[in-house]
Amino acid sequence: MQITVSRNYNLSKLHKWLDYELSGSTLLILSYFFTPAIILAVVAAIAFIPLLVKVLILERKYGWLLFLILLIGILPYGMVGYFKTITWMTSMSGTMIALFSGLMVFYFYCAILRLFLPRWYQEEDY
């Protein structure tokens, strides 16, 4: 008997993690605990990025990897100047604005990736 690993194993693992979403009531409850929720969101993003990068490299999706680097590494710091002009955000520091916009952009990237991921699956040879 020969054991074969599916070519789509890494994709299905990534897809499983991207399919996990919080319900509206959970988000409502987390909004009352702002600081722990932000810390949890940052820790979840930091923990998820290595798996995401690994799958993108193994699947040779270098455009998506470059898009991730641009969105997370460059865009949040460019958004600081724009968000500083909004009156209720003038009291926030630039680092805090970059953190919030980075989280927003990362989770937006994950939502878009979740829509495109099913197109990457390959036919299995048995």
Side-chain angles (χ1 to χ4, degrees), residues 1 8 18-19 22 28 42 53 55 64 72 80 87 90 100 111 119:
M1 183 168 101
N8 297 319
L18 287 174
D19 276 344
L22 297 175
L28 178 66
V42 168
V53 169
V55 171
W64 280 92
I72 295 176
V80 170
T87 52
T90 54
F100 289 143
R119 299 177 189 177

Side-chain angles (χ1 to χ4, degrees), residues 78-93:
M79 295 171 73
V80 170
Y82 172 73
F83 283 130
K84 275 293 202 178
T85 61
I86 299 173
T87 52
W88 64 272
M89 292 186 107
T90 54
S91 63
M92 293 178 73
S93 70

Side-chain angles (χ1 to χ4, degrees), residues 24-115:
S25 59
T26 305
L27 291 174
L28 178 66
I29 292 169
L30 284 177
S31 69
Y32 288 108
F33 304 104
F34 181 72
T35 304
I38 291 298
I39 292 171
L40 183 65
V42 168
V43 169
I46 291 171
F48 184 67
I49 286 177
L51 172 67
L52 182 61
V53 169
K54 175 189 165 197
V55 171
L56 290 176
I57 290 173
L58 289 176
E59 294 296 319
R60 296 186 180 127
K61 301 295 183 183
Y62 301 117
W64 280 92
L65 187 61
L66 179 65
F67 188 49
L68 175 70
I69 292 168
L70 289 174
L71 281 180
I72 295 176
I74 296 171
L75 186 66
Y77 297 103
M79 295 171 73
V80 170
Y82 172 73
F83 283 130
K84 275 293 202 178
T85 61
I86 299 173
T87 52
W88 64 272
M89 292 186 107
T90 54
S91 63
M92 293 178 73
S93 70
T95 307
M96 201 64 137
I97 293 174
L99 172 72
F100 289 143
S101 58
L103 279 175
M104 174 186 67
V105 168
F106 173 73
Y107 286 112
F108 176 72
Y109 175 85
C110 287
I112 299 248
L113 184 63
R114 181 177 162 210
L115 295 175

